[in-house]
Amino acid sequence: MKTFSKYALATAILASTTTAFAPTPVHNQKIGNIILPSSSNTQLFSTVDDKTEVREYFNNEGFNRWNKIYSDSDEVNSVQLDIRNGHDQTIQKILNWVKEDGNISGKTVCDCGCGVGSLAIPLALMGAKVSASDISDAMATEAAARAKSMGVKNAKFYTSDLESVTGKYNTVTCVDVAIHYPTEKMAEMVGHLCSLADERVLISFAPKTWYYELLKKIGELFPGPSKTTRAYLHEERVVRDALEKAGFKVAREEMTGTNFYFSRLLEAKRV
């Protein structure tokens, strides 16, 4: 395991440059004729709509930032490059599972929170019939453009929040999206994903452990200048319990950890 000092520094830098663990910098707030000082931030957090915040962020500055991270662009710093590599590892682990199974061709896949198509496009190229959505119109549009440039015709991309996605699919995927979901909504979100899946669900999330929670708190001491979304860690037990409640059992699991990225990946199959 890397030393604590290295991870602490990494998390501090991460909080100032990405959405992964960065709290939303909220300054003095004016409500009506009343100006609330920054000390009221904690109380205000509970009234802010996370969904609206995420949508606005990833349609604006967040899109510019993450579109570069999830590409081959050289316009990224060392932290962003490390996050790109971590995310790519998670995607590749899913693709390796799919290749190992050897039966994705012709199957339907629903990719919730598709981003720029990092997973949806490779799955389509492997023969899956993909329906991919993202809460950010900018992200979904970029994913569609990338798919078109690669000649992909068996994937559709559209704008939607996760809760509004409907239908039935052989496989449902949701990669690195849960970090934007408040703890109290996590089980409900997992349950909805399961309701869409006939066979299996693939989900990744930042695990809540005492160690990662401590690093997150350290990172929050160094807020960056750019507006970001709040980040949530999730207890693995909560995710597993929600999967089991919905009639699914974890079949395979992986953990990806780099200096600036860590993600727990679970594949659960309907029983």
Side-chain angles (χ1 to χ4, degrees), residues 190-211:
V190 174
H192 179 64
L193 293 174
C194 291
S195 73
L196 303 172
D198 285 331
E199 298 176 9
R200 65 177 170 180
V201 170
L202 290 149
I203 182 172
S204 71
F205 56 95
K208 184 177 183 179
T209 66
W210 70 267
Y211 187 69

Side-chain angles (χ1 to χ4, degrees), residues 176-234:
D176 294 350
V177 174
I179 198 165
H180 303 298
Y181 273 76
T183 304
E184 65 273 12
K185 294 183 179 180
M186 186 60 178
E188 181 181 352
M189 186 267 269
V190 174
H192 179 64
L193 293 174
C194 291
S195 73
L196 303 172
D198 285 331
E199 298 176 9
R200 65 177 170 180
V201 170
L202 290 149
I203 182 172
S204 71
F205 56 95
K208 184 177 183 179
T209 66
W210 70 267
Y211 187 69
Y212 290 146
E213 182 71 10
L214 178 59
L215 296 183
K216 178 176 181 289
K217 290 183 181 298
I218 293 174
E220 289 173 350
L221 298 176
F222 301 85
S226 300
K227 186 181 189 301
T228 62
T229 64
R230 287 184 296 281
Y232 299 94
L233 308 184
H234 299 287

